Structure formats: C-alpha cells, structure tokens
Amino acid sequence: MISAAVVAAAIGFVPTAAQAADQPAQRQGNAVAAKDSAKAAAAKAAVFHSPAERTVRTSGSASASASASGNAAAPQAAGAAKGNAGLAVDLRASATSAHGFSLASQITTAAGAPVKVDIDWGDGRTDTEHVTSAKLLTSKHTFAELGKHKVTVTLTDQDNNVTATNSVEVQSLGSKFTPHAPTRLLDTRSGIGGSNRAVTPYGVARVKVGGNSGIPADATAVALNVTAVNPRSTGHITAYPSGTAQPTTSNVNFVAGQTVPNMTIVQVGADGYVELVNRSYGDVDLVADVTGYFSRSAGAGGYTSLDPFRIADSRAGQGTWGQVAGQSTFSLQVAGNGAIPASGVTAVALNVTATAPRGAGHLTVFPTGQEAPNTSNVNFKANQTIANSVIVPVGPDGRINVRNGAWDPADVIVDVVGYYSPGSKASYIPTEPTRLHDSRKYDFPVQGQDFRWLPLSDGDPTVTAFVLNTTVTDTQGSGHLTVAPDPYTWAQRENGAPNPTPPNSSNLNWTKGDTVPNLVQASTGTTGVIDFWNRGWDQTHLVVDMFGFYDKS
C-alpha cells in the first residue's frame, strides 16, 4: 500500500542551503497532512455490504440432529433445542488494491455451537474457518481478473443441523486501458457534444463519455486531450468526474487569445459524464478528443511504466530527417523499440514536443493503417516550443504516425514514457483530483538546473506510476521540465544522497513569464521517489496535481 506519510500533499525538498532553515518543519507538516493515502482514499468508495438480515437459513430436524450427536447434555444442546435460530453472517468487503479485497464476516451464533465457515470467493478458491461463538473474521483475497465477483459465505452448524448463507457482490478497484481511435467528443465551436456556445466564465461543459462513440457505459476513466481555444482572458480549465465537487486542481492553463491543449486522464462520473469548468473571467471554446478509456472489461490492457527515452528528434535526424514539412506525415516504429516489446502492445504513452515551427499549426499523432483524424495533440504558434502528453493506439505493424498539420515546417521530438498491453500487470486506480505540491505555498521555487523530489509511494513495488498534472508558473526565464524516477529512497534523500543525472527527455517547455501545464505518467522506479528537474537556468514555481496511479497488486 502507498505509504500514508507520503501521498496527499507529500513534498520533498532538495537539501540546499537556501532551503535548509524551514525545511524540516515544512516536510513534517506535509507528512501529517498525508495520513490518508491515495489508495485508502480511492478505496473509500469501494466498500460492498450485505447485512445479516439477508442471510438465508436452511434447517433440518433439531431432535434428529441432537440424537445424531449422541450428546444431549453437551453445552450446545441448548442451542440445538432452538436450532441455533440466530445463526447469521454480516458481510462487508473493502477493496485494498487493484485486485485485492478484505472481507469482514461478522458471525452471529449460539454460544458453544461449533460452526464451520466456508468462504467461496467465486473464482474457484474457497477458504475455511471454524468458530464456536460470535466472532468477526477478517479474510483477504486477490482476484486474478478485474471485474465483478460474487463472494459467498456459508455457515454450517452440524450439531444443530442448520446452515446459513449470505453473499456480497464486489467490484475490483483497478481498471485497464482500451485504446480508441482519436475521436472528437466535444467542440463548442461547432456543436459537437451538444453545445455550440463558448463556455461562460466559471461555467461548466459536460462531456458524455460512457455510452458515447463506442465507449462502454461502465467506463471508469477516460484519456481526453482537452484544448482551450481563443480564451477571452487568462485562466485555467479543471476536469473532474460529474457528480463530484469541483476540485482545486487544474488541467489546462491559458492566457487571452491562446489556443493550448493538454492531455487529461479523468475519472468518469456515475452518470457517464466528465465536466470541464472554465475558471476564468472570459468565455472560452473547448475541444475534447478521446484516445482511450479505462474499464474492467476482459481483454483491456494493463500499463507498463518506463524510464523516459527518446525515439524521435528531427533536429538530430532521429526518427525523421530534418524539420517535418507542413501537411506531411512521418511514421515511427514503436513495437520492439527500446524497452517496448516487439508484440502485444496496444497503445503507447508519449510526450510529444513541437519546436522551432515556422508558422502556426498543430501536430496529430495516430496509429498507422488509418487516415489522419480530425483531432490535434499539440497546438503551436510560430517559433514556439510546446509539449503535450499523448496516448495513442499502435498500428497493426507496430508503428504510429505523426502529422504536421501546419503549412510550414517544424521540428518534432517524441519521448516514450510507457505502454499498454494485455500482458502488462498494472491497472489504473483513479483518485479524487488532489494537489500534492505547490511551491508558491512555501515560497521555495525550483532553482535553475536544480530539482524537487517527491516521495510518492515510499518504495511500494506494487505502485508503478502516478498520473500527475505538472504546471510551471512565475517562470523567470526559458527552460524545460524533466520528470523521472529517483534512484535513491526517501531515507537516502533525507540523508543527503548525491544528485542523480536527469534523462535526455522533456515533459514541458516554457519561456519567461509562461504558465505551462502537462500531464505526466510518472514512473516510481524502484524507490517510489520522483524527481522534477528544472532544466532552465532561472527559477520557476512548480505545481503538482494527482489524478490516479497504476497498481499491479
């Protein structure tokens, strides 16, 4: 389980002289605030109850049972006379991990009556216990498959010739990923999704996900590329599941007149909708494109997180030669590239960067074997360097396409951060959007060429990655952010472990004065500590929001 002392609002500071004075108190305060772990918080909504009143009893002749026992004077004889009329069981199952449950069986029985307790987990496995009085039994089980399972508990009192049975249906906490051809679900400019009006200040746009465009009604989360188009003022967009309170997190930040996208992985509300709130003082048009969804359906793929590595950089002739011409497409081999297996990969998680474009435009990433969709992943203006997280299905030949939708050339960089496949073990657990870190709160910006470290899972090997939205703000110069696992544990970091070497990859880029967000599927590595590197020469503030994590237990 994720350490209770490290998740909600967990924070780590690089031990530099400028930060040393208040650092212990700051960290302690966050450790206290972090006692509700992300996994525990996610499990709160995954409690399944069948009260004792639902127990079904079957009984035979009490006298025959007593005669068969041959011991009418035994203590249980009093119970036999009544047939152990109170025999019953209350069941309460709680999700403990992506596949795991804890079952509390509160057994009511006559004192002294020996009762056999059979727990049928519904997947071919049965556990057996014995009690002689009322008792609370706690049992744990991990299902091999995600989805719904019927757990049945049967009490057998042979001396009283009575059985009592109760069942509870449970549903696993984790979900797996199904790639979806890039498809537009919302465009307030044209009426796609039901509205042809810009979203008003602090207004909400509702995006139908479950039951839309082939997405199943029981989808638990969705990968959406959300684009703010021509906002009238500075602000941000927050995505959250319908039917829940608006969180204090952010997903897309913008200034007036800017068109900016950002990938989101957001939990789907019980009614099948996701909501997007416009937190600005002006109207803004919104576009939402789906590239995949999470569900408990058979055949969906788990996630494998990787240390970031680069598969394309047109500036260096990697993956493609020279700037990508306007209105042209190049393909990239994904399957078998680096740590990605040669077969079985259904989708890949990327960070795609456009740099030095000669005009305004956009990039679209899509699987080979298909026509380029009417969607976009990265929007840019002339001479801008901008990145966006992308989850894209992999074509049948193991490749993906990158199209420059501008009329002018642009350089393109592609970094891999993970992949989805049926053989990948980690499933996704969405959480309430939670702010983990905001350096503005402590007035400790990340210095140039320095890093901030967050101990998110305390080395828990079952948690493989976190879905985060990282934002830089109050930037004092140009630079880029690199997010990567730290080779040292929380304790080693506390005791002054040396600075690691950041990888040759980037997650978001900025110029002086920018506020820039980007989704990061951050690998926890082997230690559970994640580093956020400011690769610029000037300081910047850093905000980190959590939306879920991948768990393989």
Side-chain angles (χ1 to χ4, degrees), residues 479-526:
H480 67 273
L481 188 77
T482 296
V483 182
D486 194 303
Y488 297 100
T489 65
W490 184 2
Q492 289 170 325
R493 276 265 147 257
E494 291 276 355
N495 291 318
N499 289 355
T501 301
N504 182 32
S505 61
S506 64
N507 295 91
L508 60 87
N509 301 71
W510 67 85
T511 57
K512 184 177 180 179
D514 283 347
T515 295
V516 181
N518 200 10
L519 181 82
V520 178
Q521 302 213 74
S523 170
T524 57
T526 59

Side-chain angles (χ1 to χ4, degrees), residues 175-192:
S175 302
K176 291 193 173 182
F177 185 76
T178 300
H180 191 288
T183 304
R184 186 146 292 174
L185 301 185
L186 174 74
D187 190 338
T188 60
R189 301 168 302 178
S190 63
I192 294 175

Side-chain angles (χ1 to χ4, degrees), residues 112-393:
V115 174
K116 184 176 74 163
V117 183
D118 291 311
I119 304 171
D120 182 352
W121 294 100
D123 62 353
R125 177 181 161 185
T126 301
D127 293 336
T128 300
E129 302 274 358
H130 294 84
V131 301
T132 57
S133 61
K135 187 174 183 180
L136 177 64
L137 291 179
T138 301
S139 312
K140 296 184 182 300
H141 186 70
T142 300
F143 292 97
E145 300 296 332
L146 299 174
K148 292 183 178 180
H149 304 273
K150 185 178 181 180
V151 181
T152 302
V153 176
T154 302
L155 311 180
T156 305
D157 179 350
Q158 292 182 329
D159 287 343
N160 286 291
N161 193 26
V162 63
T163 63
T165 302
N166 197 359
S167 298
V168 61
E169 191 172 72
V170 301
Q171 185 163 270
S172 55
L173 197 58
S175 302
K176 291 193 173 182
F177 185 76
T178 300
H180 191 288
T183 304
R184 186 146 292 174
L185 301 185
L186 174 74
D187 190 338
T188 60
R189 301 168 302 178
S190 63
I192 294 175
S195 173
N196 59 359
R197 291 184 177 182
V199 184
T200 57
Y202 291 87
V204 172
R206 286 170 51 82
V207 184
K208 182 173 175 57
V209 175
N212 189 10
S213 190
I215 302 170
D218 61 353
T220 59
V222 62
L224 287 178
N225 197 62
V226 178
T227 305
V229 181
N230 194 28
R232 279 54 162 186
S233 70
T234 298
H236 64 271
I237 303 298
T238 295
Y240 59 99
S242 174
T244 65
Q246 292 183 6
T248 58
T249 52
S250 63
N251 296 90
V252 185
N253 297 72
F254 50 79
V255 297
Q258 183 183 29
T259 294
V260 57
N262 198 23
M263 171 64 71
T264 66
I265 295 179
V266 59
Q267 188 174 1
V268 178
D271 61 358
Y273 281 80
V274 165
E275 296 190 346
L276 308 174
V277 58
N278 169 21
R279 286 184 170 149
S280 77
Y281 292 111
D283 292 355
V284 61
D285 277 305
L286 292 179
V287 176
D289 300 322
V290 63
T291 60
Y293 59 87
F294 294 84
S295 70
R296 301 178 180 96
S297 304
Y303 184 65
T304 298
S305 182
L306 301 173
D307 288 351
F309 69 95
R310 185 153 291 175
I311 62 171
D313 187 343
S314 62
R315 301 169 304 177
Q318 181 183 6
T320 185
W321 289 97
Q323 285 199 313
V324 181
Q327 302 295 305
S328 71
T329 300
F330 71 95
S331 69
L332 289 171
Q333 183 68 37
V334 171
N337 195 336
I340 303 173
S343 61
V345 177
T346 58
V348 63
L350 309 170
N351 200 70
V352 179
T353 304
T355 187
R358 299 185 189 178
H362 64 272
L363 300 178
T364 298
V365 187
F366 59 103
T368 54
Q370 300 181 13
E371 295 293 325
N374 184 32
T375 59
S376 63
N377 297 97
V378 183
N379 295 73
F380 51 81
K381 55 188 179 182
N383 301 315
Q384 184 182 24
T385 297
I386 187 168
N388 196 17
S389 181
V390 175
I391 300 174
V392 59

Side-chain angles (χ1 to χ4, degrees), residues 1 8 51 106 126 133 142 164 194 254 275 306 359 423 446 455 470 472 539 542:
M1 179 170 291
Q106 179 63 63
T126 301
S133 61
T142 300
F254 50 79
E275 296 190 346
L306 301 173
V446 186
T470 56
V472 294
Q539 70 181 30
L542 173 70

